[in-house]
Amino acid sequence: MAIQWYPGHMHKAQKEIKQALPGVDLIIEVIDARIPYSSANPVIADLANNQGLSKPIIKLMNKTDLADPQVTQQWCKYLELQQGVKALPVTAHKPEQVKKVIGLCRKLAPHRVEKELSVRAMIMGIPNVGKSTIINLLSGRIIAKVGNEPAVTQRQQRIDLSEGVTLFDTPGILWPKIDNQNSSYRLAITGAIKDTALEYDDIAFYAMDYLSKNYSKHLLEKFKLDKLEEQTLDTLEAIGRIRGCLRTGGRIDLDKVCKILINEYRSASLGEISLETPEMIEKELIEVAELQRVKEEKKAARKNKIKKKKR
Ligand code: G4P
């Protein structure tokens, strides 16, 4: 499953963010606690890794109510290994947790606080991580629409919070950048990528594979299964039989089973489940780098061949 990412979009977003950066003291990057790597902001990652971004970053890990608490703890430690990064796990269901970000902003910009100046924080996040919900909670009023298709903020929005912190909402939509195919699946499973862009079957098979290996107890309990089958398809069919997803002639309606699995995951009725761990990502990053290297090599070889032909 490929997800379109147009380099032009990233370039534009990067340019706008770069222009706005000198005017802020820090960045609040809202991410989904279930997929802290896959939901991270590609522009920020690029600025931090390749362009010497020197502003502190608060990784606001939202939706912890849906994530595995142990894995969230692992992520906090892992993310804070990066210089200038603070991780703050929160759920929008507990506004008092979200409000802690204000104190953290002030702590990270003491030079502004000492001068009694407002701390300026740029807030950003890929669609659906809960950025609008967080902005509304922090400001105590409805500023951003929640749950809609991603809204395009045309100009940078300035939101003054009463506690000496000003938020700058970034313009444009920051789509995720996906070099890692696993990330596309995880974004789709959580609903960050809308259903029109994907096949339910495809992502449900991926989800079932992962859940069987990592959260088998949750599956057994939820679907009242005696055991998980060796083949993913067989387990999905077993769920179909239990849930009465049958077509005429008694065949299993696999489409329906796949939808049930994904919807139960998204609504957390399967339990608190994270879709990636730091350890998994470390491995995947090596694989992605290797694929990239092979791709570059092939590209260079093709170019060489064309050059030779032209001579
Ligand atoms: P965005 O601006 O980053 O695109 O995200 P937005 O705030 O619109 O939130 C996307 C969805 O995530 C919304 O649900 C919102 O209610 C939900 N959400 C935000 N924070 C949390 C959280 O901490 N925990 C959980 N469980 N959900 C959260 P929706 O169903 O799309 O809209 P609605 O029905 O809530 O209006």
Side-chain angles (χ1 to χ4, degrees):
M1 183 181 61
I3 287 170
Q4 291 297 328
W5 168 265
Y6 300 104
H9 284 174
M10 175 142 159
H11 195 69
K12 189 164 173 268
Q14 195 166 46
K15 208 172 130 199
E16 281 164 351
I17 289 170
K18 261 182 146 177
Q19 271 169 3
L21 267 177
V24 301
D25 305 302
L26 57 94
I27 293 164
I28 300 172
E29 183 187 6
V30 187
I31 53 178
D32 184 325
R34 294 167 297 174
I35 46 171
Y37 162 76
S38 298
S39 63
N41 194 307
V43 175
I44 289 304
D46 189 51
L47 287 172
N49 296 335
N50 308 320
Q51 304 188 41
L53 171 73
S54 56
K55 308 270 172 183
I57 303 176
I58 298 175
K59 294 257 187 187
L60 195 72
M61 301 170 67
N62 190 33
K63 306 198 183 188
T64 51
D65 55 301
L66 307 176
D68 182 333
Q70 267 185 348
V71 177
T72 300
Q73 263 186 15
Q74 289 173 22
W75 272 110
C76 285
K77 280 193 198 142
Y78 179 79
L79 292 171
E80 291 196 347
L81 292 176
Q82 292 170 54
Q83 196 169 2
V85 172
K86 284 270 164 218
L88 185 65
V90 303
T91 160
H93 295 169
K94 294 188 177 160
E96 71 281 5
Q97 280 186 356
V98 176
K99 290 200 169 140
K100 281 190 184 158
V101 76
I102 294 174
L104 191 51
C105 285
R106 292 173 63 82
K107 210 168 142 190
L108 290 173
H111 55 291
R112 300 281 297 178
V113 178
E114 277 158 22
K115 290 185 192 150
E116 294 188 16
L117 293 169
S118 180
V119 177
R120 301 156 301 174
M122 187 191 286
I123 185 161
M124 55 178 65
I126 65 162
N128 206 45
V129 287
K131 187 182 77 168
S132 309
T133 310
I134 299 285
I135 291 176
N136 291 342
L137 276 175
L138 290 174
S139 65
R141 56 205 156 104
I142 306 290
I143 288 181
K145 276 191 187 169
V146 171
N148 282 340
E149 292 298 310
V152 187
T153 313
Q154 295 297 347
R155 270 181 294 133
Q156 197 175 57
Q157 216 184 353
R158 182 194 159 113
I159 305 141
D160 286 313
L161 308 179
S162 51
E163 299 88 342
V165 174
T166 302
L167 291 182
F168 291 91
D169 191 4
T170 42
I173 300 175
L174 294 169
W175 296 110
K177 178 173 186 269
I178 302 164
D179 296 330
N180 181 345
Q181 277 298 298
N182 293 296
S183 290
S184 3
Y185 282 106
R186 293 175 193 137
L187 285 159
I189 296 168
T190 60
I193 294 170
K194 291 291 168 211
D195 297 352
T196 45
L198 56 96
E199 300 281 343
Y200 258 107
D201 299 15
D202 207 10
I203 66 160
F205 270 76
Y206 183 95
M208 181 53 95
D209 251 4
Y210 172 80
L211 295 171
S212 307
K213 284 181 197 131
N214 299 283
Y215 292 94
S216 54
K217 225 177 102 201
H218 295 62
L219 287 172
L220 294 173
E221 265 173 32
K222 179 71 203 171
F223 296 112
K224 303 197 168 35
L225 295 163
D226 296 328
K227 62 177 171 79
L228 296 178
E229 305 296 336
E230 227 156 78
Q231 301 294 324
T232 304
L233 174 64
D234 294 339
T235 308
L236 285 167
E237 287 196 336
I239 293 175
R241 270 189 292 279
I242 289 170
R243 289 290 178 98
C245 306
L246 300 174
R247 287 185 193 276
T248 40
R251 274 187 310 125
I252 305 287
D253 185 344
L254 207 55
D255 261 7
K256 206 166 167 185
V257 183
C258 288
K259 280 195 177 120
I260 288 177
L261 179 70
I262 297 304
N263 287 334
E264 304 235 338
Y265 174 76
R266 287 183 188 164
S267 66
S269 93
L270 267 177
E272 297 163 327
I273 293 177
S274 297
L275 294 180
E276 59 194 22
T277 64
E279 200 186 334
M280 283 163 67
I281 296 305
E282 286 284 318
K283 276 192 200 140
E284 287 172 18
L285 285 174
I286 294 170
E287 286 162 16
V288 170
E290 179 57 17
L291 282 175
Q292 194 62 32
R293 193 189 61 76
V294 172
K295 211 168 126 187
E296 296 292 333
E297 256 180 30
K298 278 189 185 160
K299 203 170 139 189
R302 252 198 328 268
K303 268 193 181 164
N304 249 339
K305 216 171 155 185
I306 294 169
K307 245 192 204 167
K308 274 185 191 159
K309 267 190 186 168
K310 279 187 180 166
R311 272 186 212 144

